[in-house]
Amino acid sequence: MADERAGRIAEFIGPLRVKPGSKVDLGRDFDPRYKAGLKKREGAELLRTGVSLLAEYQQRLAAQSTYGVLLCLQALDAGGKDGTIRHVMSGVNPQGVRVSSFKVPSAEELDHDYLWRYAHRLPARGEIAIFNRSHYEEVLVVRVHPENLVRQQLPDPARGPGVWDRRYQEINNWERYLTDNGFKVVKIFLNLSKEEQRLRFMKRIDLPEKNWKFSAADVRERRWWDDYQQAFSEMLSATSTTWAPWYVVPADRKWFARICAAAVLGHTLMDIDPQYPDVGEQARNDLLAAKRELEQEAPAGAPADPYAARHPATARAAEGKDTPTGGGRASGAGRQEKRKRG
Ligand code: ATP
Ligand code: MG
């Protein structure tokens, strides 16, 4: 990771990462109100920085088209998944991002294996896919309400004892397979406190413009709070792996959760460190030939190449006459200016 920002981001998200192999007790190990000593005012600036970093790296990811990223977002109701996606992805090119929300499975989905519908929504190379709820529902809501398992029409051995341990293993293996094939999987759990959930539900009831967000079913689901905490703890313990780690993001403060999510995704992209493709000798010669032709078409009095006049060092480097500041064609300076040109 060449970028110096990478170290700072890694340090920031370190406390959120679930150490592979550790045994998590959500209530004991993670504080939903943690904010790393930051103030909301400082948070706004940090988020802006994070969002522009994501835009920069997403563009490189798309240009290289070798890796893809899958971001899984899990949370209880009112945990802030939608707002997090909206804010964190606000700067990126929508063509490179695909958001899929997973609800109660349809009849067609239930007619397939439990990972089928998620596999259909995986990112292509160069893309970031966001799962708003994910395959982890298969060891969360399905576990807390086992009638969901009955609806999955599984053969007896597949729903007998050990079903959850087997699912953890299958999910780990699936994510390993994706990682080995160039698709990085990163997982965020928005960790909301029970009291903050209550307050957010109250707000949805009390403020008319928020009424549409309220669902009585969410309040009913809250009765299973402790079962969910237990299911989350076990899931985090069993499925945070070196290749696809979990991050537990404190979610009681929306502004802080958004910074964390941007940092986690940013860290993943920086780890991939995608590069603009080097076009190669022949293609470069073609570019230069096209350039000469375009220069000759400049109207009388107009500069032949106004871009080269403004950025002489980069233009010389593009013609193979010089090296841009910072070395190599794919250097930061070169990339910045290529981007502006595009
Ligand atoms: P929002 O409420 O913000 O629109 P949401 O993700 O809560 O977003 P809903 O339509 O309210 O969306 O709820 C989706 C429901 O689908 C959740 O209660 C979730 O537990 C349930 N669900 C998701 N996956 C499964 C699954 N595999 N089996 C059973 N239920 C599932
Ligand atoms: Mg809901």
Side-chain angles (χ1 to χ4, degrees):
M1 285 190 277
D3 204 306
E4 65 177 44
R5 293 169 291 186
R8 287 204 306 274
I9 293 179
E11 203 176 309
F12 179 72
I13 64 172
L16 317 179
R17 192 169 196 264
V18 177
K19 202 161 153 264
S22 63
K23 186 151 173 38
V24 176
D25 175 338
L26 207 45
R28 179 196 64 197
D29 301 336
F30 293 97
D31 175 8
R33 298 193 62 75
Y34 171 76
K35 57 182 179 106
L38 283 176
K39 297 207 169 63
K40 190 171 178 179
R41 230 178 322 110
E42 302 161 322
E45 179 56 34
L46 267 177
L47 184 61
R48 260 196 304 279
T49 310
V51 164
S52 67
L53 181 141
L54 289 180
E56 172 192 335
Y57 273 84
Q58 185 235 349
Q59 189 153 340
R60 284 163 55 176
L61 186 84
Q64 189 183 37
S65 202
T66 303
Y67 294 94
V69 173
L70 171 62
L71 174 66
C72 301
L73 262 184
Q74 283 295 151
L76 283 175
D77 295 302
K81 292 182 275 101
D82 292 350
T84 301
I85 295 170
R86 204 169 53 245
H87 282 83
V88 170
M89 304 314 283
S90 59
V92 305
N93 179 351
Q95 291 200 81
V97 181
R98 193 197 310 201
V99 183
S100 300
S101 301
F102 294 99
K103 317 266 179 186
V104 176
S106 67
E108 189 195 17
E109 288 167 347
L110 288 170
D111 269 341
H112 291 81
D113 65 276
Y114 73 90
L115 289 177
W116 183 78
R117 65 172 180 162
Y118 309 100
H120 270 265
R121 298 291 177 162
L122 289 172
R125 297 191 193 281
E127 272 184 355
I128 299 174
I130 299 181
F131 282 3
N132 181 348
R133 299 187 188 266
S134 70
H135 47 294
Y136 283 98
E137 289 295 334
E138 304 295 335
V139 291
L140 292 168
V141 66
V142 180
R143 183 169 191 176
V144 172
H145 300 290
E147 60 271 24
N148 287 306
L149 200 58
V150 176
R151 272 189 224 114
Q152 294 188 352
Q153 309 158 56
L154 298 160
D156 282 347
R159 64 178 136 102
V163 55
W164 309 118
D165 283 343
R166 215 188 44 250
R167 284 195 171 193
Y168 294 146
Q169 203 56 51
E170 287 160 354
I171 287 172
N172 286 344
N173 291 342
W174 188 57
E175 292 176 353
R176 174 89 225 199
Y177 157 80
L178 293 172
T179 310
D180 287 348
N181 284 280
F183 298 94
K184 281 257 185 192
V185 183
V186 65
K187 303 170 313 207
I188 290 178
F189 168 55
L190 297 173
N191 186 27
L192 189 70
S193 71
K194 194 172 184 188
E195 175 57 5
E196 181 62 22
Q197 189 196 50
R198 188 181 74 87
L199 295 176
R200 289 185 190 176
F201 284 165
M202 289 297 238
K203 203 167 182 181
R204 290 177 180 188
I205 294 169
D206 289 343
L207 302 183
E209 72 276 18
K210 293 211 180 260
N211 284 169
W212 65 275
K213 279 192 180 181
F214 180 75
S215 147
D218 291 354
V219 175
R220 278 199 299 278
E221 205 56 14
R222 176 178 161 84
R223 295 178 196 151
W224 277 272
W225 181 273
D226 291 342
D227 297 26
Y228 272 110
Q229 297 298 299
Q230 179 67 25
F232 277 119
S233 295
E234 289 193 27
M235 173 202 82
L236 293 166
S237 309
T239 60
S240 195
T241 54
T242 49
W243 57 90
W246 271 107
Y247 291 88
V248 177
V249 163
D252 275 14
R253 295 179 170 90
K254 289 179 180 173
W255 62 268
F256 188 68
R258 289 163 189 168
I259 297 169
C260 293
V264 167
L265 185 56
H267 177 261
T268 308
L269 288 166
M270 291 174 116
D271 201 24
I272 296 174
D273 197 20
Q275 301 293 325
Y276 286 108
D278 195 335
V279 293
E281 190 70 30
Q282 179 58 50
R284 186 145 46 249
N285 289 340
D286 291 349
L287 284 179
L288 293 177
K291 180 178 163 141
R292 301 288 164 252
E293 195 177 325
L294 291 170
E295 281 172 342
Q296 279 161 20
E297 287 178 25
D305 183 351
Y307 175 81
R310 282 203 307 275
H311 306 277
T314 310
R316 282 177 65 77
E319 297 206 21
K321 291 177 184 157
D322 217 346
T323 316
T325 350
R329 285 181 52 79
S331 80
R335 279 196 304 272
Q336 293 287 345
E337 298 192 336
K338 264 178 115 178
R339 200 142 30 87
K340 280 184 208 148
R341 191 170 33 157

